[in-house]
Amino acid sequence: MMAKSKEVLAGKRAKRRIAVVPHTHWDREWYEPFQTFRLRLVRMLDQLLGLLESDPSYARFLLDGQMAVVDDYLAVRPENEERIRALAAAGRLSMGPWYILLDEFLVSGETIVRDLQMGLRRGAAFGSTMEVGYLPDMFGHVAQMPQVLRLAGFEHAVVWRGVPSAVDKTAFVWEALDGSAVRAEYLVTGYGNGASLPSDAKELVRRITDHEKEIGDFLIDDMLFMNGTDHQEPQPWLGRVVEEANAIQDDYALEVTSLADYLRGRRSDGLVTWRGELRSGFRANVLMGVASNRVDVKKAAALAERSLERRAEPLNALFVPAQDWPGALLDLAWLEMVRNAAHDSSCACSVDEVIDAVLVRYAEARRIGDGLAEQALTALQRSLAQPGPTVVNVTARARGGMVEVVVPGEDVPPGTQALPDEPGAFGIPRGMGPLTLDATTVKTILGMLPSGSQIDTHTWIQDVRVEEDESGIDIAIVFGPEERFDVPLASIKQDLYTRLGARPDSIVRIRIDQPAVRRVVARVDAVPGFGWRPFAPAALEHPVTVSEPAADDPAPVVVSNGLVTVLVDGTDGTFAIDGVAGFGRLVEGGDHGDSYNYSPPAGDRLVDTPDSVSVTVTEHGPVRAVAVVTAAYTWPDHVDGVTRARTGSVTVTVTTEIELRAEERAVRVTTRFVNPASDHRLRVHLPLPEPAAESEAECAFAVVRRGLDAEGRPDERGLPTFPSRRFVTAGGLTVAHEGLLEYELVDIEDGPSGRRAGTLALTVLRSTGMLSRLGMSYRPLPAGPLTPVEGLQLRGRPIEARYVLCVGCDDPYALADDAFIPLDVVYSPGGGTRSPTGRALEVEGAEVSAVRRVAGLLEVRVFNPTDRPAQVRTGERSGWLVDLKGRTLEAMDGSFELRPFGIATVRLAGD
Ligand SMILES: [Zn+2]
């Protein structure tokens, strides 16, 4: 302190410390495919390891905060693992904390947590992990990120994009919705402010002086100089030039250091506090249009997340013995999910080869999830004491709902609704006469049959009878809807082989007995959370009825269940819910933007009127009614590159199914078409029952509230198109969806109580043909390479948009679960030990994010999406609250209090 005052008195300012952090930002895949970037990664790391080992003045290196860089390298250079371990142990190489630098808005909260846990685990294998929430390039940040970081024990974050104008220093306090906070170091001009360091010391000092002028008002004290950028190789002269720069001047003290060392001990006193998400484009692009490009990728992500998080993990944790927990398969699936979470991967701002790979990874993760869920349901099915169909509820809350079930007999049971008959198993019509074949053919068929008794989802072999006389061999196979364990298939097969072998010239007559069954839909009463109960059709208090006008009558089709009434307008194809008209209006406009941003073409013209409309009713209740709107449109073909105006025309037929079920307030909508055009955006407009000044959208572990505007700047229009994970609420309307991440409140008018929006626009499709573009009206400068990417157009691709509308919905989480996580039905053979009705786990009072096994124990992650404290109850089960590293926080005996907007992980004792 004394020395500093003396310097000030002498008119000489104290030396400013310049923390040079050498690093590289390694997008695993982006404008080049993964393997191309990996060749560069191997070259870069080969060079870097040698440099670190031979030059102590190249003191530190930040491996971009993501362990994928290390694993991708070691897959090619396994022999260098010890070298990396030694450098990490010496503090020269920073490991993790992430597995991948993800996008925070386009993946689930669980994916964020798993990414961090995977990175911490992998980093720990090298001795230590960087305990800094390094988030350098993400396209904005979710509101609960500070809480996630705190739950891993971190006190610091490092951010760039999304920081609002309210922050005007190089650090601020970033607070999550629950109040937990980290100190956030703000990279005012990005993670590359010290990229490509000159080898000349004078020039380096000049660079630092210029940068100090550029961001001088932001500086609190020291200056962080991030020496790296996208895929940058290390500059071997770093240590020398830093030493020389220190020798030739007295203004700066340069030091090669690490982020963790730079941040250690830095305090938050006097810093501005920002609470919640960071989505401002005030100083850097936030690239909000990535939420709506390649809608197929977003949907694939939603399906895979649901398969793993909401089905495979809870079903296996609860219904499969702990020792059979399929950890290795789930790890494989999660590795694919986490790799896809990378900001250039899930954001699909990449070349087609990359997006193809992303889709394959999502498909593989989902196949693993679906297969494991099926296995766990089979385990449950076999464990039940009572035979017959049983309904399973894989969500935490007790709930009834509609199920599709196969019942024996010709009749449609009371309270159910028949579905069209399906052909029998193998497509063989029921009641077909015997099939006559020769013995050799039958032998061939036998060899091709699967070994189990299951024929298809609803059909098992119940019995096989073989008889023989002079005229030939008769085989009668009985199919049935329940699994049987007492059919000795192997010995029957062996017996048949013997008989066929003994009489190779004989005739074989095969008869298949398929008892009559009906496929029906029915409503079932509440099934316990994480529980099951025998299938029984519930009495319908609010059956669905349909009134259809005569062919030439312009009156609407009316679908109602007494709780909600839907009128489908045959003139324009829209529908009304409880008197609010205009739902489902498709609004098509041009998009001369790119994968990152929407940007309208010159003189854009919107098309929202169909050329023709027809409405048919395909299901009439009482359990479910479906009206189908078929609408033909003429859309412009593409945007002309020279005039930047839309030109040409194409026709398209769009079908929209509008479904209402008994006892439900939700209206389910599915829109399908084959995209016929390029350079355009299609949104469905949904009128708000009440004008709205804000929206509430689901993001990771929270619902966030947003106004009608977004902060931007001339270089990037502050477009208030926002992401929602599974649902968004505004003006009394809740929309839950399957990966339709982008919404905007539109039709904004000034009223007596301020600006209010009348409509929620949900993006169904955004097609552009460029990774990045120059000179766009909404974002003039490029955000990436100016590469044409045909796949971004999705031209000629089938598009299916699924969403659910609910007016006056009281629980959007329940709405989203009911809409997209159906009740399951298993067909029990009976004879097990599990009681006919029960529940495997009780979790009440909070939303459940994960149920899985960790080291044999049941681990449950919950969050409180409300602003009130919640009492979380786990029935009779006690356990321990743990942090995201699995460290015990406190004991829990059947219940614990969860702070408003809090996230908690609990491990339960016993099985
Ligand atoms: Zn990046």
Side-chain angles (χ1 to χ4, degrees), residues 3 96 265 364 388 426 447 494 542 546 621 721 760 820 822 851-852 865 868:
E364 294 203 341
F426 285 138
Q494 203 46 56
H542 300 96
V546 178
T721 54
L760 188 148
F820 299 112
V851 176
R852 60 168 174 160
R868 301 170 302 280

Side-chain angles (χ1 to χ4, degrees), residues 655-701:
T655 63
T656 298
E657 287 177 14
I658 303 154
E659 176 186 335
L660 187 62
R661 296 180 180 177
E663 320 299 334
E664 287 191 3
R665 298 191 51 83
V667 179
R668 294 153 193 262
V669 186
T670 306
T671 293
R672 296 188 183 91
F673 61 99
V674 175
N675 178 33
S678 304
D679 311 319
H680 69 146
R681 180 175 72 173
L682 182 70
R683 303 203 288 187
V684 60
H685 280 216
L686 307 166
L688 303 179
E690 305 281 340
E694 57 185 24
S695 58
E696 291 183 8
E698 192 200 20
C699 276
F701 302 113

Side-chain angles (χ1 to χ4, degrees), residues 571-808:
T571 58
D572 67 359
T574 66
F575 55 98
I577 301 177
D578 288 345
V580 180
F583 284 97
R585 188 160 67 93
L586 292 171
V587 180
E588 194 266 356
D591 190 347
H592 199 236
D594 58 18
S595 67
Y596 297 105
N597 292 81
Y598 161 79
S599 193
D604 194 18
R605 180 173 62 85
L606 302 179
V607 181
D608 69 347
T609 312
D611 303 329
S612 67
V613 174
S614 67
V615 181
T616 54
V617 177
T618 56
E619 295 194 45
H620 294 79
V623 177
R624 171 171 77 184
V626 179
V628 181
V629 175
T630 305
Y633 293 85
T634 305
W635 292 341
D637 185 87
H638 66 281
V639 172
D640 183 281
V642 177
T643 64
R644 301 197 165 201
R646 293 225 279 168
T647 182
S649 74
V650 289
T651 54
V652 60
T653 301
V654 182
T655 63
T656 298
E657 287 177 14
I658 303 154
E659 176 186 335
L660 187 62
R661 296 180 180 177
E663 320 299 334
E664 287 191 3
R665 298 191 51 83
V667 179
R668 294 153 193 262
V669 186
T670 306
T671 293
R672 296 188 183 91
F673 61 99
V674 175
N675 178 33
S678 304
D679 311 319
H680 69 146
R681 180 175 72 173
L682 182 70
R683 303 203 288 187
V684 60
H685 280 216
L686 307 166
L688 303 179
E690 305 281 340
E694 57 185 24
S695 58
E696 291 183 8
E698 192 200 20
C699 276
F701 302 113
V703 172
V704 294
R705 190 170 290 180
R706 296 166 177 143
L708 299 178
D709 304 299
E711 208 173 48
R713 67 192 197 290
D715 284 345
E716 188 189 49
R717 168 85 61 118
L719 205 61
T721 54
F722 293 115
S724 78
R725 285 225 45 75
R726 288 180 306 160
F727 59 79
V728 52
T729 297
L733 174 73
T734 302
V735 186
H737 57 79
E738 192 174 58
L740 298 168
L741 303 187
E742 184 185 87
Y743 75 93
E744 183 181 1
L745 295 188
V746 298
D747 296 340
I748 295 170
E749 284 179 12
D750 266 319
S753 45
R755 293 165 69 232
R756 293 284 186 276
T759 302
L760 188 148
L762 187 67
T763 308
V764 172
L765 166 79
R766 200 170 73 77
S767 78
T768 72
M770 295 293 283
L771 202 169
S772 181
R773 202 189 284 277
L774 182 66
M776 288 155 46
S777 53
Y778 280 13
R779 203 209 63 226
L781 300 171
L786 308 176
T787 309
V789 180
E790 192 49 41
L792 287 166
Q793 296 284 17
L794 289 172
R795 190 169 176 138
R797 306 278 186 98
I799 305 294
E800 184 192 69
R802 290 178 69 203
Y803 60 95
V804 173
L805 304 171
C806 185
V807 174

Side-chain angles (χ1 to χ4, degrees), residues 292-377:
S292 55
N293 72 24
R294 285 303 299 242
V295 286
D296 55 338
V297 171
K298 281 48 176 187
K299 182 164 182 160
L303 295 175
E305 282 165 356
R306 191 163 75 208
S307 176
L308 288 170
E309 297 170 16
R310 306 303 304 280
R311 292 180 55 77
E313 287 193 339
L315 283 169
N316 279 277
L318 299 176
F319 297 118
V320 166
Q323 67 270 17
D324 296 335
W325 170 250
L329 275 165
L330 286 165
D331 285 350
L332 277 178
W334 275 111
L335 180 60
E336 304 294 1
M337 296 301 287
V338 167
R339 281 175 170 161
N340 273 358
H343 52 281
D344 296 305
S345 309
S346 56
C347 291
C349 46
S350 291
V351 293
D352 281 333
E353 244 180 283
V354 168
I355 298 171
D356 290 347
V358 167
L359 285 170
V360 167
R361 284 184 215 121
Y362 277 136
E364 294 203 341
R366 185 180 160 203
R367 287 293 162 232
I368 292 174
D370 287 356
L372 290 177
E374 203 56 51
Q375 282 182 25
L377 284 170

Side-chain angles (χ1 to χ4, degrees), residues 25 27 137 191 230 343-344:
H25 177 58
D27 300 302
D137 194 24
Y191 51 84
D230 302 352
H343 52 281
D344 296 305

